[in-house]
Amino acid sequence: MSGKRSRSFKCAVHHRDRQVCSENDFHLLLQPPTLFQRMVKVIADEFLTDDRERKYYADRYSCCPPPLFIIFITLVELGFFTYYTVVMGEINPSGPVPINSVFIYRPDKRGEIWRFLCYMVLHAGWLHLLFNLLVQVLVGLPLEMVHGSMRIGAVYMAGVLAGSLGTSVFDTDVYLVGASGGVYALLAAHLANVLLNYNNMEFGIVRLIGIFIVASADVGFAIYDRYAAEQVGPPVSYVAHLTGALAGLTIGLLVLKNFEQKLHEQLIWWVALGVYAACTLFGILFNVFNPDPFYPAN
């Protein structure tokens, strides 16, 4: 086959992908991909399972609409930490903790229902903030690029709510700050994404082990800080990590795109819905019928 005929044949093959319309356009295929295109391809390989889906996503994704939720919530949390650092005049790995903030979750102020969500904008020190921001950007941003802001926003906020409700039931004497419930919901949602598409994802077991190691290390430190370390200030809850992860796993199974729907996964969908609804309803009713604080307000 001559060079000209071979060139025409390649044009005809790639014309279906709308990349090449004529021989004059064939040079487009020879241009190296940009940094953004390489990033999109990595995300497609990580979160999509079918080769056609990966190619379509890599070719068509234009960052419109942009993944704004994770970026917005990250900037908000960083802004609140900066504000309270300036106001309180100190910064260290475990502080300052704005005890008297109207946003912090406190067991003696459970009647102020906005605290069950707004506590996420506060953090107990720069180490706590750094871990949460890194995880939600590195895990949440790619998830949002694939699944959309509405779905990832639902997962994140469900984890935040589950963290405070779980703490109010199982760890009743602690204050609560930080977005760990939402962050662990994102980690568990990534786990749900792997579980939904496990057969078609490369290195599925490696991903599961990696998520488990990161989550176990942080939860282990939180448990140690709660029971073994010397308490300098109010105790910090680790229950929010666990209940946030449970919310992320269940809501992730509900709202994330399943690229290969199977019959048994429909049963998993209903089980996940039932578990999250039952746990949330129990947490709400517990707080409604136990309105009295466990100790007087300071």
Side-chain angles (χ1 to χ4, degrees):
M1 183 179 291
S2 67
K4 182 177 180 180
R5 184 166 301 189
S6 174
R7 189 181 183 88
S8 299
F9 176 75
K10 291 179 180 180
C11 288
V13 170
H14 289 286
H15 179 72
R16 180 182 177 185
D17 297 329
R18 302 183 184 276
Q19 293 178 321
V20 174
C21 296
S22 68
E23 292 185 10
N24 294 329
D25 297 330
F26 197 78
H27 67 280
L28 295 175
L29 295 177
L30 303 178
Q31 294 180 351
T34 64
L35 177 62
F36 176 77
Q37 290 172 333
R38 292 199 297 269
M39 179 189 69
V40 170
K41 186 179 185 303
V42 169
I43 292 174
D45 292 339
E46 175 72 18
F47 292 98
L48 301 180
T49 58
D50 184 76
D51 288 338
R52 290 171 299 179
E53 291 280 354
R54 289 170 177 161
K55 185 177 187 309
Y56 182 85
Y57 178 83
D59 291 342
R60 301 287 180 169
Y61 183 75
S62 60
C63 206
C64 185
L68 292 179
F69 175 79
I70 292 297
I71 296 175
F72 172 76
I73 205 69
T74 298
L75 292 177
V76 168
E77 292 164 5
L78 184 60
F80 269 87
F81 181 79
T82 303
Y83 170 78
Y84 279 105
T85 297
V86 172
V87 168
M88 302 181 72
E90 63 173 308
I91 180 172
N92 56 70
S94 59
V97 180
I99 301 298
N100 297 317
S101 172
V102 297
F103 300 109
I104 192 172
Y105 169 82
R106 293 173 55 153
D108 58 323
K109 295 184 180 293
R110 290 181 295 123
E112 299 173 353
I113 59 176
W114 66 84
R115 294 177 183 265
F116 283 85
L117 288 175
C118 292
Y119 75 92
M120 70 178 183
V121 300
L122 307 177
H123 284 83
W126 62 262
L127 189 61
H128 187 205
L129 175 75
L130 182 63
F131 176 83
N132 283 346
L133 296 192
L134 281 177
V135 173
Q136 69 187 31
V137 168
L138 295 178
V139 176
L141 198 58
L143 277 172
E144 187 176 354
M145 291 174 68
V146 172
H147 296 281
S149 298
M150 292 294 292
R151 289 182 171 90
I152 298 306
V155 169
Y156 191 90
M157 297 309 296
V160 171
L161 179 60
S164 56
L165 288 176
T167 299
S168 70
V169 174
F170 298 109
D171 205 4
T172 56
D173 61 341
V174 302
Y175 290 49
L176 191 60
V177 294
S180 295
V183 167
Y184 272 77
L186 293 177
L187 284 171
H190 182 47
L191 174 62
N193 186 65
V194 174
L195 292 175
L196 285 173
N197 306 285
Y198 182 82
N199 291 332
N200 294 316
M201 297 188 89
E202 296 181 358
F203 309 112
I205 189 64
V206 176
R207 300 180 190 189
L208 294 177
I209 293 174
I211 294 173
F212 178 78
I213 291 175
V214 172
S216 298
D218 188 62
V219 172
F221 176 79
I223 294 175
Y224 170 81
D225 186 68
R226 176 69 174 89
Y227 294 111
E230 181 181 353
Q231 293 293 334
V232 178
V236 178
S237 176
Y238 64 91
V239 175
H241 299 69
L242 302 178
T243 53
L246 177 61
L249 182 59
T250 54
I251 296 298
L253 290 170
L254 291 174
V255 304
L256 295 187
K257 298 175 183 177
N258 188 352
F259 297 101
E260 283 203 359
Q261 183 71 275
K262 298 182 177 65
L263 183 62
H264 74 278
E265 290 170 352
Q266 295 180 11
L267 175 61
I268 294 177
W269 193 94
W270 287 106
V271 170
L273 176 62
V275 169
Y276 183 79
C279 292
T280 302
L281 182 61
F282 175 79
I284 293 174
L285 292 177
F286 178 88
N287 284 276
V288 168
F289 291 106
N290 295 275
D292 295 330
F294 294 97
Y295 51 85
N298 294 330

